[in-house]
Amino acid sequence: MSGSFVVFTWICIGAGAIRNDDEKPTPHLRPSNALFDQSGSPKPAWLEEGWNFSSSTPICGHVTNFEFEGLKLHCENYLKKIRDVFEVPTPQEILETNHIDLSAAEEGTGRSGAKMLFSKDKKFIIKTMSARDLGAFIKVVEKYTAHLVSHASESAMMRYYAILEDEGGGFWLIANNWLPVKFPVVWDLKGSMVGRKNGDTESDQKDQDWLNQNKALALPPDQRAVALQTLESDSLLLSRANLIDYSLIVGLLVYQLDACNGPNQPSCIAPVCHPDGGCGEAAYTLGDYFTEVKDFYCTESSLKERQLGHTCMGGFTSSLKVYFQCFGIIDLLKPFDVKSRAEYTVKAGWGRKISAQPADSYAERFFQFMYEKVFPETLSRSTAPLVLSHETCRNWGSKVHSEGPNVLMITLVALGVGLLGGGAFAWWYFRSRKASSPPTVGRSQRRVGIWQRCHCSAWHVWS
């Protein structure tokens, strides 16, 4: 009985140390713009505290029916603005052109247990939404929409394009997919160190795996500055909306190119050049995922047009390394609510770097990890933009490496060494045979030898 009382008292003390829901988190991040200023206008009923939704109630004050398996659309008065800015097709077009079957959705690897599936073109993800997700979303949808629309060219937050309700009253989210190409490993980074390790051999890895392998993203200094400013602005919005547990999902490919077009170097077939480091050869395939870089940037023989908004980015270092990286913030809708407070208290979150933290602390830790460990300044200094030409697009990864200039050079050197070695052996062999055989004495040599013997005999007799 006394033990239970002590535990209860400890939980109450810990809970008292946590801020109230009404307090405004004030992370030490760069001040945001007037998007978060109070306008003084009354909030809609669905934004008020304590408002409950049901499958028969429009969750954003607006619902639309459309002809696809009896689905309904919610929050179209907001989410259509996002689709329009990013020139995204209607939800019906997305579902029909990709032949989406919601019953085929599978449970993801995260703790939420959400079911999800990807569109065939890899541009969209469709996943289930819990009541907790919806409750968090309806409180932030107005500011979230305004933020994405006004920061369309740089925001790295997941873009919510549509919310669907199926015939059974279940809710689904259509959003963009931050990883539109294949990666051998995908990292989920929060800045937390507790329980954030899966192991180097797993395809899904976390913060400690990232640090153990000394991974980093390589962006040119100007792009790095924009990326960090964007992550700071996005995390500030999430902090002020009292949201936590979001992650930076990262896909990374790194390839070392052979030098070309320089003195005593072969001519480039698919050149990738650095202003300070020369050019590297991208014509010879460097692995199963090497052509994913070309597929992102190029059509069959030319460059793709760049689309609006944050997307995958390439860097090329002075050491002739290609960095191709895709990243974005996902899982935006977990509030620091009663459930999160209990986790924070029971796990002594104020003294340990667990994932559950008050929203302002979470935002600060998240941004600091990105600044120091994900986008290090030292790597950025030697990085230039990855620039592909039409010639590079045509020839990228078009040859197997066994046909490469290095293999040819090695073959020629080996042949030369073999010839020299064979000649040296032959010379040694004939020399050794000549030395071991008895000398052949000619007629003149025999006469000289006889005279010498006679001369010596005469000398001995005279003496």
Side-chain angles (χ1 to χ4, degrees), residues 17 34 51 150-151 223 237 255 257 278 285 313 320 357 387 447:
W51 182 81
S150 60
H151 297 79
Q223 293 184 10
L237 169 67
Y255 297 103
L257 302 187
T285 183
M313 309 172 79
L320 305 186
Q357 296 286 326
V387 179
R447 284 198 299 266

Side-chain angles (χ1 to χ4, degrees), residues 5 35 60 116 135 143 150 157 173 180 205-206 208 221 224 231 284 286 295 321 351 356 368 377 404 420 447 458:
F5 177 79
L35 172 64
C60 296
M116 62 184 67
K143 293 177 179 178
S150 60
M157 282 197 301
L173 173 71
Q205 299 186 18
K206 299 183 179 181
Q208 287 187 331
R224 174 181 179 268
L231 293 175
Y284 299 92
L286 296 176
D295 293 341
K321 279 188 178 181
Q368 197 68 24
E377 184 178 7
L420 290 174
R447 284 198 299 266

Side-chain angles (χ1 to χ4, degrees), residues 347-364:
K347 294 183 178 180
W350 58 86
R352 304 170 65 220
K353 295 183 179 180
I354 65 171
S355 181
Q357 296 286 326
D360 53 352
S361 300
Y362 190 95
E364 286 189 53

Side-chain angles (χ1 to χ4, degrees), residues 94-339:
I94 294 173
L95 297 175
E96 289 179 348
T97 56
N98 288 279
H99 306 289
I100 298 297
D101 179 10
L102 297 181
S103 63
E106 298 180 352
E107 187 172 325
T109 58
R111 293 185 302 172
S112 66
K115 293 183 177 181
M116 62 184 67
L117 49 83
F118 294 90
S119 61
K120 291 183 178 180
D121 59 13
K122 302 299 181 183
K123 293 181 179 180
F124 307 102
I125 181 173
I126 300 95
K127 62 183 296 186
T128 54
M129 297 183 74
S130 65
R132 194 182 188 191
D133 294 334
L134 288 165
F137 181 72
I138 61 177
K139 294 178 181 179
V140 73
V141 61
E142 189 172 25
K143 293 177 179 178
Y144 167 81
T145 303
H147 182 81
L148 274 190
V149 170
S150 60
H151 297 79
S153 62
E154 66 269 1
S155 178
M157 282 197 301
M158 198 172 198
R159 302 167 193 155
Y160 295 159
Y161 294 138
I163 292 181
L164 312 174
E165 181 186 354
D166 60 32
E167 292 180 315
F171 286 87
W172 299 77
L173 173 71
I174 299 179
N176 72 306
N177 175 24
W178 283 127
L179 306 181
V181 302
K182 294 179 181 178
F183 290 95
V185 176
V186 173
W187 282 272
D188 182 276
L189 306 177
K190 299 177 185 289
S192 172
M193 293 294 111
V194 178
R196 301 291 298 165
K197 182 179 180 180
N198 278 349
D200 297 350
T201 60
E202 298 297 321
S203 59
D204 296 302
Q205 299 186 18
K206 299 183 179 181
D207 304 68
Q208 287 187 331
D209 303 311
W210 180 270
L211 297 179
N212 291 343
Q213 298 172 52
N214 294 316
K215 295 295 182 180
L217 300 186
L219 297 180
D222 57 340
Q223 293 184 10
R224 174 181 179 268
V226 171
L228 289 173
Q229 185 175 5
T230 296
L231 293 175
E232 193 175 34
S233 175
D234 289 344
S235 57
L236 179 59
L237 169 67
L238 297 171
S239 172
R240 294 189 171 183
N242 199 32
L243 296 173
I244 64 170
D245 213 35
Y246 42 88
S247 308
L248 190 78
I249 189 170
V250 176
L252 175 63
L253 297 174
V254 182
Y255 297 103
Q256 177 69 61
L257 302 187
D258 294 327
C260 58
N261 276 7
N264 301 319
Q265 295 173 356
S267 298
C268 290
I269 302 172
V272 179
C273 299
H274 189 283
D276 301 320
C279 296
E281 180 60 87
Y284 299 92
T285 183
L286 296 176
D288 295 338
Y289 298 89
F290 189 61
T291 56
E292 295 288 343
V293 183
K294 173 189 174 181
D295 293 341
F296 179 80
Y297 285 106
C298 310
T299 61
E300 289 295 327
S301 60
S302 61
L303 292 167
K304 292 180 180 179
E305 292 185 6
R306 180 178 173 84
Q307 298 180 343
L308 175 67
H310 168 73
T311 184
C312 301
M313 309 172 79
F316 191 51
T317 67
S318 57
S319 60
L320 305 186
K321 279 188 178 181
V322 170
Y323 281 75
F324 178 70
Q325 49 240 327
C326 300
F327 57 91
I329 304 176
I330 62 170
D331 298 336
L332 311 179
L333 299 178
K334 180 178 178 179
F336 189 70
D337 54 12
V338 173
K339 185 176 180 180

Side-chain angles (χ1 to χ4, degrees), residues 19-47:
R19 61 176 177 79
N20 296 323
D21 281 333
D22 296 334
E23 294 175 356
K24 300 294 183 182
T26 55
H28 300 295
L29 306 174
R30 181 178 294 110
S32 184
N33 55 25
L35 172 64
F36 304 108
D37 293 343
Q38 297 296 325
S39 62
S41 58
K43 293 182 180 179
W46 43 269
L47 281 176

